[in-house]
Amino acid sequence: MYYKKKSERRNAMKIYFLAAFILLAGCTLVQNDDSYEPSGSGTPSASLQPSSDTSASRPALQSSPQSTPQSSAQPITEGEQAARSLLEAASSNHFDVVEAIIEESEIKELDELLKYVLTYWHQYSYKNQEDLQLVSLLLEKGADPNGVDDDGTPLLFIARTADMLKVLAEDERADLNVISPHGSTLLLSAIGSYNSEKVDYLLQRGADPNDEGIPNDQEKWSPLHLAVAFSDRVEWVMPIVESLLNHKDIDLTKVDEENRTPYELAVELEKYEAMELFEKKGLGNPAE
């Protein structure tokens, strides 16, 4: 249990937490706006052949626990309730309550708190990055950045923003080479969610720009092939294509499962913006 009856002090703390929770429960729940990140862990849908309509909205990506509201038929667990209390306190900048709850928690409880905080943190609003402060505090007290959510997805994959990913990744225990249950890498996940800031950060931290993975539970993709496939989403994805092309270790001769180089894929799918960028950099290899 999160608040164990070990002493009169803890009994008093329980009353304090309950009163604080009741007070904070009146706070308005506001969806945190991650304008450039569609949903979930950023995993592409089963079909990775984008529409030829370049004005189309972003394709629907797989949902994840953090973007799927809890069913009212499912009872909320004690860990979830404690995490929501933390989030409500943090969103109201009541870090005295946050610190008190965390101090009363054991290591295993901290791991569960971090899991549910990362599952639900986007449902609250924060004025001064209190969400990042909360996660940093949990990590500082011993929560494991390499934990997984209820579906077995590593927590690093459900960090919706680049800033939250950085908080987790800067912990010296964090494993940035972690693979998702269906075989995706963090870099492919960042590309699939069109998050160029995440991509740049991961490349800076040493992510292999040629490392293949399975971002959609079906097909194997290299980072550049995946970025090219979505490059008609110019505003979001072309900066990613350029970052990959500028990487000193990028392999332009790497072929996909249909024996196409990234440039040949761009030609075949008529991704004109990507083709133009390849050719501008002198990297095109049009078939003769």
Side-chain angles (χ1 to χ4, degrees):
M1 300 216 19
Y2 275 84
Y3 313 125
K4 296 181 173 58
K5 185 176 181 182
K6 292 183 177 180
S7 65
E8 292 183 2
R9 173 179 171 274
R10 290 206 169 190
N11 283 332
M13 291 296 289
K14 285 180 65 176
I15 296 173
Y16 175 68
F17 294 154
L18 180 60
F21 175 73
I22 293 172
L23 174 64
L24 294 170
C27 298
T28 303
L29 202 64
V30 180
Q31 181 74 23
N32 189 23
D33 180 23
D34 300 327
S35 58
Y36 53 76
E37 191 152 12
S39 68
S41 59
T43 310
S45 61
S47 173
L48 284 176
Q49 301 302 327
S51 166
S52 59
D53 179 8
T54 59
S55 65
S57 61
R58 305 183 188 185
L61 305 185
Q62 290 179 356
S63 63
S64 78
Q66 65 184 36
S67 60
T68 304
Q70 177 98 5
S71 170
S72 58
Q74 296 176 327
I76 189 169
T77 68
E78 188 175 5
E80 288 175 285
Q81 185 63 76
R84 288 186 178 277
S85 296
L86 282 176
L87 289 164
E88 287 168 355
S91 68
S92 301
N93 200 24
H94 289 296
F95 269 86
D96 53 339
V97 177
V98 169
E99 293 176 0
I101 294 176
I102 291 176
E103 287 296 333
E104 291 298 307
S105 302
E106 298 179 354
I107 293 297
K108 289 183 179 179
E109 296 169 344
L110 290 174
D111 290 343
E112 189 169 10
L113 284 174
L114 179 61
K115 174 180 69 174
Y116 287 122
V117 162
L118 289 172
T119 298
Y120 297 116
W121 68 276
H122 66 288
Q123 297 179 355
Y124 298 78
S125 62
Y126 312 93
K127 294 181 179 180
N128 296 299
Q129 298 187 320
E130 291 87 357
D131 52 337
L132 305 182
Q133 296 176 47
L134 170 57
V135 171
S136 294
L137 185 57
L138 285 167
L139 293 171
E140 178 185 325
K141 296 299 182 180
D144 185 3
N146 300 309
V148 298
D149 68 8
D150 286 341
D151 291 332
T153 300
L155 299 183
L156 286 160
F157 279 85
I158 66 172
R160 292 169 63 92
T161 66
D163 285 338
M164 186 60 79
L165 174 63
K166 291 174 184 178
V167 169
L168 291 169
E170 294 299 326
D171 188 294
E172 61 182 11
R173 299 167 295 165
D175 178 12
L176 298 185
N177 296 314
V178 66
I179 301 297
S180 73
H182 51 73
S184 183
T185 66
L186 285 171
L187 182 58
L188 288 170
S189 177
I191 295 169
S193 60
Y194 315 150
N195 194 319
S196 60
E197 190 177 353
K198 273 189 181 181
V199 169
D200 289 342
Y201 174 73
L202 290 167
L203 291 174
Q204 176 189 344
R205 288 293 305 272
D208 186 343
N210 306 304
D211 194 13
E212 295 178 324
I214 307 175
N216 64 341
D217 206 20
Q218 292 184 7
E219 303 166 87
K220 182 178 290 186
W221 292 78
S222 77
L224 187 52
H225 281 92
L226 184 62
V228 165
F230 283 136
S231 61
D232 52 347
R233 274 70 188 180
V234 177
E235 178 183 355
W236 305 299
V237 183
M238 283 305 297
I240 295 174
V241 174
E242 185 160 15
S243 291
L244 291 167
L245 287 178
N246 289 338
H247 197 284
K248 62 182 181 63
D249 295 326
I250 193 67
D251 181 3
L252 298 175
T253 65
K254 193 176 187 68
V255 296
D256 62 12
E257 294 181 337
E258 296 185 30
N259 204 39
R260 301 168 296 190
T261 66
Y263 181 81
E264 290 167 344
L265 178 65
V267 172
E268 183 173 321
L269 297 182
E270 300 181 344
K271 306 297 183 180
Y272 298 114
E273 292 82 2
M275 291 166 55
E276 181 179 350
L277 183 59
F278 272 84
E279 292 163 7
K280 180 180 179 181
K281 293 178 174 292
L283 303 175
N285 59 337
E288 297 182 357

